[in-house]
């Protein structure tokens, strides 16, 4: 199933960045990363392969994931791990150095310390992780996700608004798809609605990081681009205990008889985003259309 492969790849890349600090420490210690300008992977070895595979068993990043997602993560990193590390190491080492220090190399200790800072900043949502992760999973590389970048970067470079094309309806539906993704990849992904009703705390835990993670699951970051709109809309959706309970109930019902892994994310978006905010947009569009036809 293409969706399952994409979910596994996306999860692998999220875990990769969250575990980057520990991974770099292991790769430096094993001699796989050779410090310098730029740092390289000339010492890659069996221990390095093991360190990359360990990303898929991270106690924090992979907690609660289904066995299928863990296996899919391992497949992605076993096949592409060295190249993924190589691509990110080049970008990352430039990020670590101040502009005035770009002409010098970095020691192993400096790389490790900076890698830990990178991982700590992931949850802040200011690293633009979506654009760094999805090309790996898209058609140009692993080929398991149907993903195309939007033109928001071009708009930014041209001095235009980077959020103008992202409506509240778009953001709401995107957040709904995020919720579907979180449940699908979890150990609860196969459970039908009735079974989920018996595990309310577990379901709430799966959805707990929904809003915080939007800034890393969409283009842009916490400060600009569509991701910022998604984050703001998610906060409004979860505003208040009553609204939170309603969202969880809708997600539980959406799972249906066959579980989230077999449910249509579009149906969850319809349930969460109608009548508001999507129908309001539709009504305005219909009014404009009627006026234009007169």
């Amino acid at each position: 199933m293409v969706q399952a492969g994409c979910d596994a790849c996306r999860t692998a890349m999220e875990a990769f960045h969250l575990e980057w600090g520990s991974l770099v420490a292991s790769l430096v210690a094993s001699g796989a990363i050779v410090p310098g300008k730029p740092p390289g992977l000339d010492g890659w070895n069996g221990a390095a392969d093991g360190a990359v595979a360990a990303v898929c068993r991270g106690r924090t990043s992979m907690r609660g994931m289904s066995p299928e997602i863990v296996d899919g993560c391992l497949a992605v990193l076993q096949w592409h791990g060295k190249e993924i590390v190589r691509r990110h190491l080049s970008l990352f080492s430039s990020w670590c150095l101040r502009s005035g220090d770009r002409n010098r190399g970095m020691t192993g200790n400096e790389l490790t310390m900076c890698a830990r800072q990178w991982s700590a900043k992931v949850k802040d949502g200011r690293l633009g992780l979506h654009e760094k992760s999805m090309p790996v999973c898209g058609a140009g590389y692993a080929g398991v996700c149907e993903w195309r970048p939007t033109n928001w970067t071009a708009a930014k470079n041209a001095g235009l608004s980077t959020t103008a094309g992202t409506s509240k309806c778009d953001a709401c539906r995107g957040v709904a798809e995020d919720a579907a993704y979180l449940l699908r990849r979890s150990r609860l992904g196969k459970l039908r609605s009735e079974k989920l009703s018996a595990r309310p705390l577990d379901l709430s835990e799966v959805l707990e990081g929904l809003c915080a993670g939007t800034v890393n699951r969409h283009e842009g970051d916490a400060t600009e681009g569509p991701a910022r709109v998604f984050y703001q809309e998610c906060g409004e959706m979860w505003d208040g205990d009553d609204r939170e309970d309603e969202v969880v109930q809708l997600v539980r019902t959406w799972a249906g008889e066959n579980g989230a892994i077999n449910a249509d994310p579009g149906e969850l978006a319809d349930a969460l985003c109608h009548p508001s905010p999507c129908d309001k947009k539709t009504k305005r569009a219909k009014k404009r259309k009627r006026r234009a036809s007169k």
Side-chain angles (χ1 to χ4, degrees):
M1 184 184 294
V2 174
Q3 183 172 270
C6 182
D7 287 350
C9 187
R10 291 175 63 188
T11 301
M13 293 310 300
E14 290 177 19
F16 175 83
H17 288 286
L18 284 167
E19 303 290 341
W20 181 243
S22 299
L23 177 57
V24 168
S26 296
L27 294 178
V28 168
S30 69
I33 289 181
V34 179
K37 180 187 173 300
L41 300 179
D42 298 335
W44 196 269
N45 49 40
D49 289 328
V52 172
V55 166
C56 298
R57 300 185 181 91
R59 293 182 179 179
T60 301
S61 58
M62 298 298 289
R63 181 184 177 190
M65 300 299 171
S66 71
E68 292 80 5
I69 290 295
V70 174
D71 289 344
C73 175
L74 286 168
V76 169
L77 294 185
Q78 284 172 351
W79 279 100
H80 306 292
K82 182 178 179 181
E83 184 57 29
I84 292 171
V85 171
R86 187 190 304 280
R87 287 159 59 112
H88 186 56
L89 184 62
S90 176
L91 167 71
F92 160 77
S93 58
S94 297
W95 178 82
C96 290
L97 293 171
R98 299 187 183 90
S99 58
D101 293 336
R102 295 288 165 81
N103 291 324
R104 74 172 181 86
M106 297 182 69
T107 67
N109 284 339
E110 287 176 324
L111 283 169
T112 298
M113 290 178 61
C114 189
R116 296 192 187 283
Q117 292 174 10
W118 176 279
S119 291
K121 288 180 176 293
V122 167
K123 293 183 179 181
D124 293 341
R126 301 195 177 200
L127 297 174
L129 290 192
H130 187 76
E131 287 94 324
K132 297 176 178 64
S133 299
M134 290 308 290
V136 173
C137 300
Y141 203 65
V144 291
C145 291
E146 295 180 3
W147 174 79
R148 293 182 181 84
T150 67
N151 62 355
W152 88 272
T153 302
K156 173 187 174 182
N157 292 339
L160 304 175
S161 170
T162 59
T163 60
T166 307
S167 68
K168 286 176 69 64
C169 178
D170 294 334
C172 181
R173 295 189 69 86
V175 171
E177 292 182 2
D178 283 355
Y181 162 68
L182 293 181
L183 183 53
R184 273 198 314 266
R185 69 179 188 168
S186 76
R187 291 181 178 273
L188 307 182
K190 295 181 180 180
L191 299 185
R192 62 181 187 272
S193 297
E194 182 182 351
K195 294 290 187 180
L196 288 175
S197 296
R199 302 178 64 173
L201 294 180
D202 291 337
L203 178 56
S204 294
E205 185 177 359
V206 167
L207 298 175
E208 185 177 4
L210 176 62
C211 292
T214 55
V215 290
N216 288 327
R217 296 190 198 107
H218 301 279
E219 290 183 296
D221 59 29
T223 63
E224 60 182 356
R228 183 181 178 186
V229 183
F230 280 67
Y231 177 75
Q232 292 171 337
E233 178 62 26
C234 189
E236 293 180 15
M237 290 171 65
W238 286 83
D239 187 17
D241 291 340
D242 291 343
R243 180 56 175 158
E244 180 177 339
D245 291 342
E246 180 184 353
V247 171
V248 173
Q249 172 63 39
L250 287 171
V251 172
R252 183 166 57 240
T253 302
W254 162 78
E257 289 298 312
N258 298 308
I261 62 171
N262 295 305
D264 180 2
E267 293 181 0
L268 178 59
D270 290 343
L272 283 172
C273 304
H274 298 267
S276 177
C278 290
D279 282 358
K280 292 180 179 179
K281 175 187 175 183
T282 302
K283 289 177 182 177
R284 287 197 299 270
K286 287 180 178 178
K287 288 181 181 179
R288 287 195 298 268
K289 187 175 181 180
R290 285 197 297 267
R291 286 197 297 267
S293 64
K294 291 180 180 179

